Amino acid sequence: MAIQTKKIAEEKALKIKKESKLLLTQQKRGKLKIVLSKNMPLFILTLPALIYFILFHYAPMFGVVMAFKDFKYNLGILGSPWVGFKNFEFFFTSNDAWRILRNTVGYSILFIVVTNGVALIVALLLNEIKNKLVLKIHQTAMLMPHFLSWVLVGFITYIFLSPMMGVLNQFLEGLGLEGREWYSEPGHWPYILTVTSLWKGVGLQILFYYAALLTVDPQLYEAARIDGANKLKQAWYISIPAVLPIMTILMILAIGDTFRGDFGLFYQIPRDVGLLYSTTDIIDTYIFRGLRTGDMGVTAAVGLFQSVVGLILILIVNWIVKKIKPENALF
């Protein structure tokens, strides 16, 4: 009798457990429907971006296997023979490896420091402008280059640096100085690329920092002025802490791209001149030349290495930030 009673109790408990699970599932589905119905316009807006990433970022990931194969066009990806890590070995033992890794990482770090420093200073200066018309003129002028294509920026740069009729050489000759052969002297290009990258990209960064400054309560500045704080101290103790969260997120993303340069900048501005490779060649331009010559295996290996290292860097930097100040972490 006791055994039968125990069995009935277990069956009832199991039935209650199943009913509670079913109820919980229905509640979750109901909440999901509510979320979908409330946010459907937002989901529709994100649909083009999702389709883009699926088609051009996730679907091609199958091609990663080419990094471990001796790719033959007549055999295709699946039919090409496996070579293991020989493509990676070929790249890292080549004379190009050190040059393009040094340039890619070096320029990335340089651009991070220069762009963030200039963007922060200019955003702080914009925050001091009270005339709305003047402010809009400055913002438009600084943001406009961001929307220009690198092809157009390349032509503008060539107008300045052309050996024969370049504006810069004509200016130097007007001062009684000798013009330069800019496209055959690699030593000048770290400065040229840094200035060009800053001119085109700093406007958007300024906009992010300025937007963060707009969230600061004006009463904080008023209280600081009453306490005798000058503009420098107000910036240090009020403005910069307000910008720090967005700066941290942008820095994490930028460090994740340390092994990924801006292809348009490094291809269109130096015009792919071989004499300049020592200071202008990066991983992305090296991959492009590999695709152009049909060396798919090594190209895929370098691209895979680039992506994996970038992911690892993002995870490491985000973990460090989370340990120091969790609210500033990316995820």
Side-chain angles (χ1 to χ4, degrees), residues 42-57:
L42 296 177
F43 288 130
I44 293 172
L45 285 172
T46 58
L47 193 60
L50 288 173
I51 294 171
Y52 164 77
F53 277 101
I54 290 170
L55 289 179
F56 297 102
H57 290 267

Side-chain angles (χ1 to χ4, degrees), residues 27-262:
Q27 287 177 346
K28 286 182 178 179
R29 286 177 180 173
K31 287 181 180 179
L32 182 62
K33 286 181 180 179
I34 293 170
V35 170
L36 287 173
S37 61
K38 284 184 176 180
N39 299 286
M40 186 56 68
L42 296 177
F43 288 130
I44 293 172
L45 285 172
T46 58
L47 193 60
L50 288 173
I51 294 171
Y52 164 77
F53 277 101
I54 290 170
L55 289 179
F56 297 102
H57 290 267
Y58 291 99
M61 287 179 72
F62 170 72
V64 165
V65 297
M66 286 197 298
F68 307 95
K69 290 194 167 195
D70 181 16
F71 180 74
K72 306 293 184 183
Y73 284 97
N74 58 330
L75 298 176
I77 296 177
L78 296 177
S80 298
W82 291 92
V83 293
F85 290 93
K86 286 187 177 180
N87 288 325
F88 294 90
E89 182 183 349
F90 175 82
F91 168 68
F92 285 109
T93 56
S94 68
N95 296 326
D96 300 324
W98 163 245
R99 183 189 73 232
I100 66 172
L101 290 174
R102 178 201 63 199
N103 289 345
T104 306
V105 176
Y107 278 119
S108 295
I109 295 172
L110 179 63
F111 292 169
I112 289 171
V113 173
V114 173
T115 303
N116 280 280
V118 172
L120 179 60
I121 292 169
V122 176
L124 292 172
L125 293 174
L126 286 178
N127 198 39
E128 297 299 321
I129 298 175
K130 305 306 178 186
N131 188 307
K132 290 186 177 180
L133 178 61
V134 174
L135 182 63
K136 287 180 179 179
I137 292 171
H138 280 81
Q139 287 176 327
T140 304
M142 286 182 288
L143 191 59
M144 189 65 71
H146 175 74
F147 298 102
L148 301 178
S149 70
W150 278 117
V151 176
L152 181 57
V153 176
F155 278 111
I156 295 172
T157 308
Y158 188 72
I159 291 171
F160 277 89
L161 302 179
S162 174
M164 299 298 295
M165 300 297 293
V167 173
L168 195 52
N169 274 351
Q170 290 185 25
F171 175 74
L172 291 174
E173 289 169 3
L175 294 176
L177 302 174
E178 188 178 351
R180 297 276 187 171
E181 292 288 336
W182 301 104
Y183 288 94
S184 60
E185 299 178 8
H188 302 300
W189 282 88
Y191 306 100
I192 295 170
L193 292 171
T194 302
V195 171
T196 308
S197 174
L198 185 66
W199 176 75
K200 189 176 186 298
V202 76
L204 190 62
Q205 203 101 328
I206 292 169
L207 188 63
F208 290 148
Y209 293 165
Y210 180 70
L213 290 172
L214 292 178
T215 64
V216 179
D217 189 347
Q219 292 181 357
L220 292 175
Y221 293 109
E222 185 65 31
R225 279 193 294 269
I226 293 171
D227 289 340
N230 56 26
K231 291 291 184 182
L232 188 61
K233 288 185 177 179
Q234 290 175 37
W236 183 259
Y237 291 105
I238 300 174
S239 300
I240 292 178
V243 174
L244 202 56
I246 185 66
M247 180 184 284
T248 305
I249 292 173
L250 292 175
M251 289 279 282
I252 292 171
L253 295 173
I255 291 171
D257 280 340
T258 301
F259 276 77
R260 188 180 302 278
D262 192 326

